[in-house]
Amino acid sequence: MDQIVRALLRLLLVQLLASFHCTDTLLSGDDGGWGLVSSMEDEGECNIEIRDAKSITHREFIKEYAYAKPVILRGLTDNTKFRFLCSKSNLVREYGEKTVRLSTANTHSYRKVDVRFEEFVKFLLTPQSEETLGSDTLYFFGDNNFTEWHSLFEEYKAPPFSLPLMHSAYSFGIAGPGTGVPFHWHGPGYSEVIYGRKRWFLYPPEEAPEFHPNHTHLSWVSLSYPNLELHQRPLECTIRPGEVLYFPDRWWHATLNLDTSVFISTFLG
Protein backbone atom coordinates (compact mmCIF):
# COMPACT_ATOMS: atom_id res chain seq x y z
CA MET A 1 0.00 0.00 0.00
CA ASP A 2 2.85 2.41 0.89
CA GLN A 3 4.46 1.79 -2.50
CA ILE A 4 1.19 2.65 -4.26
CA VAL A 5 0.82 5.84 -2.24
CA ARG A 6 4.41 6.87 -3.00
CA ALA A 7 3.90 6.15 -6.70
CA LEU A 8 0.75 8.25 -6.74
CA LEU A 9 2.52 11.10 -4.96
CA ARG A 10 5.38 11.00 -7.49
CA LEU A 11 2.89 11.08 -10.35
CA LEU A 12 1.09 14.02 -8.76
CA LEU A 13 4.39 15.87 -8.32
CA VAL A 14 5.35 15.34 -11.98
CA GLN A 15 1.96 16.63 -13.14
CA LEU A 16 2.23 19.63 -10.83
CA LEU A 17 5.68 20.55 -12.13
CA ALA A 18 4.55 20.18 -15.74
CA SER A 19 1.58 22.40 -15.06
CA PHE A 20 3.80 24.99 -13.41
CA HIS A 21 6.21 24.91 -16.36
CA CYS A 22 3.34 25.66 -18.72
CA THR A 23 1.72 28.37 -16.60
CA ASP A 24 4.75 30.20 -15.27
CA THR A 25 4.70 32.44 -18.34
CA LEU A 26 1.72 34.13 -16.74
CA LEU A 27 3.70 35.21 -13.70
CA SER A 28 4.16 38.94 -13.30
CA GLY A 29 7.18 40.27 -15.19
CA ASP A 30 7.57 37.28 -17.51
CA ASP A 31 7.94 38.36 -21.13
CA GLY A 32 8.17 35.01 -22.90
CA GLY A 33 11.72 35.92 -23.92
CA TRP A 34 10.54 38.80 -26.11
CA GLY A 35 12.24 41.45 -23.98
CA LEU A 36 9.40 43.82 -23.27
CA VAL A 37 11.64 46.87 -23.09
CA SER A 38 9.60 49.83 -24.20
CA SER A 39 10.14 53.51 -24.80
CA MET A 40 6.37 53.95 -24.92
CA GLU A 41 5.31 54.79 -21.37
CA ASP A 42 2.08 56.68 -22.11
CA GLU A 43 -0.80 54.22 -22.05
CA GLY A 44 -3.34 57.05 -22.45
CA GLU A 45 -6.74 57.04 -20.88
CA CYS A 46 -9.26 54.23 -21.07
CA ASN A 47 -12.77 55.36 -22.02
CA ILE A 48 -13.99 52.01 -23.36
CA GLU A 49 -16.26 49.89 -21.20
CA ILE A 50 -14.58 46.91 -19.53
CA ARG A 51 -16.67 43.85 -18.66
CA ASP A 52 -15.66 40.77 -16.74
CA ALA A 53 -16.64 37.57 -18.50
CA LYS A 54 -18.61 36.47 -15.46
CA SER A 55 -20.72 39.62 -15.58
CA ILE A 56 -21.99 39.36 -19.16
CA THR A 57 -23.92 36.77 -21.15
CA HIS A 58 -23.82 36.14 -24.88
CA ARG A 59 -27.28 37.64 -25.19
CA GLU A 60 -26.21 40.80 -23.36
CA PHE A 61 -23.13 41.07 -25.58
CA ILE A 62 -25.27 40.91 -28.72
CA LYS A 63 -27.77 43.43 -27.37
CA GLU A 64 -25.36 45.99 -25.91
CA TYR A 65 -22.16 45.81 -27.98
CA ALA A 66 -22.13 43.57 -31.06
CA TYR A 67 -23.62 46.20 -33.39
CA ALA A 68 -23.23 49.31 -31.25
CA LYS A 69 -19.84 49.98 -29.64
CA PRO A 70 -16.48 48.49 -28.64
CA VAL A 71 -15.99 46.69 -25.36
CA ILE A 72 -13.06 45.11 -23.51
CA LEU A 73 -13.76 41.66 -22.10
CA ARG A 74 -11.69 40.15 -19.31
CA GLY A 75 -11.36 36.47 -18.52
CA LEU A 76 -13.26 35.19 -21.54
CA THR A 77 -10.95 32.24 -22.15
CA ASP A 78 -7.89 30.59 -20.65
CA ASN A 79 -5.08 30.81 -23.22
CA THR A 80 -2.30 29.74 -20.85
CA LYS A 81 -1.07 26.99 -23.18
CA PHE A 82 -1.23 29.20 -26.27
CA ARG A 83 0.74 31.88 -24.46
CA PHE A 84 3.37 29.33 -23.46
CA LEU A 85 3.66 28.19 -27.10
CA CYS A 86 4.09 31.82 -28.20
CA SER A 87 7.29 32.35 -26.22
CA LYS A 88 10.18 33.53 -28.35
CA SER A 89 12.18 30.30 -27.97
CA ASN A 90 9.21 28.12 -28.88
CA LEU A 91 8.22 30.10 -31.97
CA VAL A 92 11.78 30.37 -33.29
CA ARG A 93 12.33 26.65 -32.73
CA GLU A 94 9.09 25.62 -34.46
CA TYR A 95 8.88 28.25 -37.22
CA GLY A 96 12.35 29.76 -37.57
CA GLU A 97 12.87 28.27 -41.04
CA LYS A 98 9.37 29.08 -42.23
CA THR A 99 8.72 32.01 -44.53
CA VAL A 100 6.50 34.82 -43.24
CA ARG A 101 5.03 37.64 -45.27
CA LEU A 102 5.46 41.19 -44.00
CA SER A 103 3.31 44.14 -45.04
CA THR A 104 4.11 47.83 -45.05
CA ALA A 105 2.42 49.65 -42.17
CA ASN A 106 0.47 52.17 -44.20
CA THR A 107 -3.27 52.34 -44.72
CA HIS A 108 -3.41 50.37 -47.94
CA SER A 109 -0.48 47.94 -47.30
CA TYR A 110 0.99 48.37 -50.76
CA ARG A 111 4.11 46.22 -50.45
CA LYS A 112 4.69 42.64 -49.29
CA VAL A 113 8.06 41.16 -48.35
CA ASP A 114 8.81 37.48 -47.66
CA VAL A 115 11.51 36.62 -45.10
CA ARG A 116 12.43 33.70 -42.87
CA PHE A 117 10.74 33.99 -39.50
CA GLU A 118 14.07 33.78 -37.65
CA GLU A 119 15.46 36.65 -39.73
CA PHE A 120 12.40 38.74 -38.95
CA VAL A 121 12.82 38.15 -35.21
CA LYS A 122 16.59 38.82 -35.23
CA PHE A 123 16.83 41.79 -37.56
CA LEU A 124 13.43 43.41 -38.21
CA LEU A 125 11.65 43.21 -34.86
CA THR A 126 12.87 46.63 -33.75
CA PRO A 127 11.42 49.81 -32.22
CA GLN A 128 9.64 52.16 -34.61
CA SER A 129 11.27 55.46 -35.53
CA GLU A 130 8.90 58.41 -35.61
CA GLU A 131 10.50 59.68 -38.81
CA THR A 132 10.07 56.46 -40.79
CA LEU A 133 7.17 56.42 -43.23
CA GLY A 134 4.55 53.70 -43.14
CA SER A 135 5.59 52.53 -46.60
CA ASP A 136 9.09 51.85 -45.23
CA THR A 137 7.91 50.02 -42.11
CA LEU A 138 7.48 46.23 -42.35
CA TYR A 139 4.83 44.69 -40.11
CA PHE A 140 4.11 41.03 -39.40
CA PHE A 141 0.36 40.63 -39.07
CA GLY A 142 -2.01 38.52 -41.11
CA ASP A 143 -0.88 36.82 -44.32
CA ASN A 144 -0.28 33.71 -42.17
CA ASN A 145 0.19 30.38 -43.86
CA PHE A 146 -2.58 28.48 -42.08
CA THR A 147 -1.18 25.10 -43.12
CA GLU A 148 2.21 25.78 -41.56
CA TRP A 149 0.82 27.57 -38.48
CA HIS A 150 -2.17 25.27 -37.98
CA SER A 151 -0.71 23.41 -34.98
CA LEU A 152 -0.29 26.73 -33.16
CA PHE A 153 -3.67 28.19 -34.06
CA GLU A 154 -5.54 25.08 -33.02
CA GLU A 155 -4.35 25.69 -29.45
CA TYR A 156 -5.87 29.17 -29.38
CA LYS A 157 -9.20 29.50 -27.60
CA ALA A 158 -11.11 32.20 -29.47
CA PRO A 159 -13.65 34.46 -27.79
CA PRO A 160 -16.87 32.43 -27.44
CA PHE A 161 -19.30 35.24 -28.29
CA SER A 162 -20.13 34.66 -31.95
CA LEU A 163 -22.27 36.81 -34.24
CA PRO A 164 -25.18 35.36 -36.20
CA LEU A 165 -24.35 34.12 -39.71
CA MET A 166 -20.66 34.97 -39.35
CA HIS A 167 -17.53 32.81 -39.44
CA SER A 168 -14.17 33.53 -37.84
CA ALA A 169 -10.64 33.79 -39.23
CA TYR A 170 -7.39 34.35 -37.33
CA SER A 171 -4.60 36.84 -37.96
CA PHE A 172 -1.46 36.43 -35.89
CA GLY A 173 1.24 39.03 -35.44
CA ILE A 174 4.43 40.11 -33.67
CA ALA A 175 5.68 43.70 -33.63
CA GLY A 176 8.21 45.97 -31.92
CA PRO A 177 7.48 48.94 -29.65
CA GLY A 178 6.13 52.01 -31.44
CA THR A 179 4.83 50.01 -34.39
CA GLY A 180 1.18 49.73 -35.30
CA VAL A 181 -1.28 50.26 -38.09
CA PRO A 182 -2.91 53.57 -39.07
CA PHE A 183 -6.65 54.12 -39.17
CA HIS A 184 -8.68 51.76 -41.32
CA TRP A 185 -11.94 49.84 -41.09
CA HIS A 186 -13.39 46.45 -42.00
CA GLY A 187 -15.80 43.95 -40.51
CA PRO A 188 -16.18 43.20 -36.79
CA GLY A 189 -13.64 41.30 -34.76
CA TYR A 190 -11.71 40.65 -31.59
CA SER A 191 -8.11 41.46 -30.68
CA GLU A 192 -6.14 39.75 -27.91
CA VAL A 193 -2.62 40.51 -26.72
CA ILE A 194 -0.55 37.46 -25.76
CA TYR A 195 2.57 39.37 -24.69
CA GLY A 196 3.11 43.10 -24.33
CA ARG A 197 0.62 45.98 -24.46
CA LYS A 198 -1.36 47.38 -27.37
CA ARG A 199 -3.01 50.82 -27.34
CA TRP A 200 -6.23 51.06 -29.36
CA PHE A 201 -7.91 54.12 -30.90
CA LEU A 202 -11.43 53.88 -32.36
CA TYR A 203 -14.03 56.11 -34.04
CA PRO A 204 -17.57 55.20 -35.08
CA PRO A 205 -18.22 54.76 -38.82
CA GLU A 206 -19.71 58.23 -39.25
CA GLU A 207 -16.69 59.99 -37.67
CA ALA A 208 -13.79 59.43 -40.05
CA PRO A 209 -10.54 60.61 -38.41
CA GLU A 210 -8.05 62.87 -40.16
CA PHE A 211 -4.73 61.16 -40.84
CA HIS A 212 -2.08 60.80 -43.52
CA PRO A 213 -2.32 57.31 -45.08
CA ASN A 214 1.47 56.99 -45.40
CA HIS A 215 2.42 58.25 -41.95
CA THR A 216 2.82 55.77 -39.13
CA HIS A 217 0.35 55.73 -36.29
CA LEU A 218 3.21 56.63 -33.94
CA SER A 219 3.55 59.87 -35.90
CA TRP A 220 -0.21 60.54 -35.55
CA VAL A 221 -0.08 59.90 -31.79
CA SER A 222 2.91 62.20 -31.38
CA LEU A 223 1.89 65.05 -33.67
CA SER A 224 -1.87 65.02 -34.28
CA TYR A 225 -3.38 63.45 -31.17
CA PRO A 226 -2.19 66.17 -28.72
CA ASN A 227 -3.91 68.85 -30.81
CA LEU A 228 -7.33 67.23 -30.94
CA GLU A 229 -10.23 69.08 -29.36
CA LEU A 230 -12.05 67.20 -26.64
CA HIS A 231 -14.93 66.33 -28.98
CA GLN A 232 -12.45 65.01 -31.55
CA ARG A 233 -10.83 62.50 -29.20
CA PRO A 234 -11.27 58.80 -30.04
CA LEU A 235 -12.43 55.98 -27.87
CA GLU A 236 -9.22 54.43 -26.61
CA CYS A 237 -7.66 51.99 -24.19
CA THR A 238 -4.51 49.93 -23.73
CA ILE A 239 -5.07 46.19 -23.52
CA ARG A 240 -2.85 43.61 -21.84
CA PRO A 241 -2.68 39.81 -21.75
CA GLY A 242 -5.97 38.39 -20.52
CA GLU A 243 -8.02 41.16 -22.12
CA VAL A 244 -9.88 41.00 -25.43
CA LEU A 245 -11.10 44.07 -27.31
CA TYR A 246 -14.17 43.73 -29.52
CA PHE A 247 -14.83 46.27 -32.32
CA PRO A 248 -18.07 46.38 -34.35
CA ASP A 249 -18.46 46.45 -38.12
CA ARG A 250 -16.97 49.43 -39.99
CA TRP A 251 -15.55 51.13 -36.93
CA TRP A 252 -12.37 53.09 -37.68
CA HIS A 253 -9.46 51.82 -35.62
CA ALA A 254 -5.70 52.15 -35.30
CA THR A 255 -3.19 50.52 -32.97
CA LEU A 256 0.10 51.30 -31.28
CA ASN A 257 2.25 48.56 -29.73
CA LEU A 258 3.78 49.92 -26.53
CA ASP A 259 6.12 46.94 -26.13
CA THR A 260 7.37 44.14 -28.30
CA SER A 261 3.96 42.52 -28.64
CA VAL A 262 2.58 39.16 -29.68
CA PHE A 263 -1.09 39.30 -30.59
CA ILE A 264 -3.91 37.58 -32.42
CA SER A 265 -7.14 38.86 -33.94
CA THR A 266 -10.33 36.95 -34.69
CA PHE A 267 -12.05 38.56 -37.67
CA LEU A 268 -15.73 37.89 -38.21
CA GLY A 269 -17.30 37.84 -41.64
Side-chain angles (χ1 to χ4, degrees):
M1 181 65 70
D2 289 343
Q3 290 179 335
I4 295 176
V5 171
R6 285 197 294 269
L8 289 174
L9 287 175
R10 284 197 296 270
L11 178 61
L12 180 62
L13 179 61
V14 169
Q15 291 176 334
L16 181 63
L17 290 174
S19 174
F20 178 79
H21 180 59
C22 184
T23 59
D24 65 357
T25 58
L26 292 179
L27 295 177
S28 176
D30 186 82
D31 60 8
W34 292 105
L36 306 183
V37 178
S38 171
S39 59
M40 307 295 296
E41 297 297 332
D42 185 9
E43 293 189 352
E45 64 174 316
C46 184
N47 53 17
I48 298 175
E49 287 185 54
I50 300 175
R51 298 289 300 268
D52 187 274
K54 296 179 181 178
S55 71
I56 183 173
T57 65
H58 191 183
R59 178 175 294 182
E60 289 171 331
F61 169 77
I62 294 294
K63 180 179 179 181
E64 298 180 31
Y65 304 104
Y67 307 104
K69 57 185 176 181
V71 64
I72 293 170
L73 301 164
R74 286 179 175 165
L76 268 185
T77 56
D78 180 4
N79 272 305
T80 300
K81 183 176 182 181
F82 183 75
R83 191 170 195 260
F84 176 74
L85 294 173
C86 288
S87 69
K88 184 176 180 179
S89 59
N90 281 340
L91 288 184
V92 170
R93 181 175 60 251
E94 294 295 326
Y95 303 100
E97 297 301 318
K98 305 294 185 183
T99 298
V100 294
R101 175 158 293 179
L102 311 180
S103 302
T104 50
N106 47 348
T107 295
H108 304 296
S109 296
Y110 299 104
R111 187 163 59 96
K112 307 282 186 180
V113 176
D114 291 340
V115 299
R116 286 174 54 248
F117 179 71
E118 187 173 19
E119 291 178 0
F120 164 72
V121 171
K122 285 185 175 180
F123 305 115
L124 298 175
L125 192 59
T126 57
Q128 174 71 56
S129 168
E130 192 174 308
E131 291 74 30
T132 305
L133 292 176
S135 57
D136 296 325
T137 302
L138 294 173
Y139 198 70
F140 174 44
F141 179 58
D143 289 316
N144 307 120
N145 184 319
F146 286 92
T147 300
E148 293 181 346
W149 292 77
H150 174 73
S151 62
L152 177 66
F153 292 158
E154 68 178 0
E155 298 296 341
Y156 177 65
K157 295 180 181 178
F161 294 162
S162 59
L163 270 60
L165 304 178
M166 287 196 173
H167 301 282
S168 61
Y170 298 147
S171 283
F172 179 74
I174 305 171
T179 61
V181 291
F183 284 106
H184 62 288
W185 60 266
H186 45 67
Y190 295 94
S191 175
E192 180 170 359
V193 173
I194 309 303
Y195 288 105
R197 298 168 297 155
K198 184 184 287 286
R199 188 175 173 186
W200 276 77
F201 306 79
L202 303 103
Y203 287 96
E206 67 275 11
E207 297 180 24
E210 293 186 10
F211 66 98
H212 192 292
N214 199 33
H215 288 177
T216 63
H217 193 56
L218 175 61
S219 175
W220 185 89
V221 171
S222 300
L223 302 177
S224 300
Y225 178 85
N227 298 317
L228 295 176
E229 299 289 340
L230 188 61
H231 70 277
Q232 297 175 314
R233 292 291 180 97
L235 288 177
E236 61 174 291
C237 199
T238 295
I239 62 172
R240 300 169 181 79
E243 298 176 329
V244 176
L245 182 140
Y246 169 79
F247 52 89
D249 186 28
R250 296 178 178 268
W251 272 66
W252 291 92
H253 55 278
T255 60
L256 183 67
N257 296 297
L258 302 184
D259 310 293
T260 298
S261 300
V262 181
F263 45 92
I264 187 168
S265 290
T266 303
F267 295 122
L268 305 174

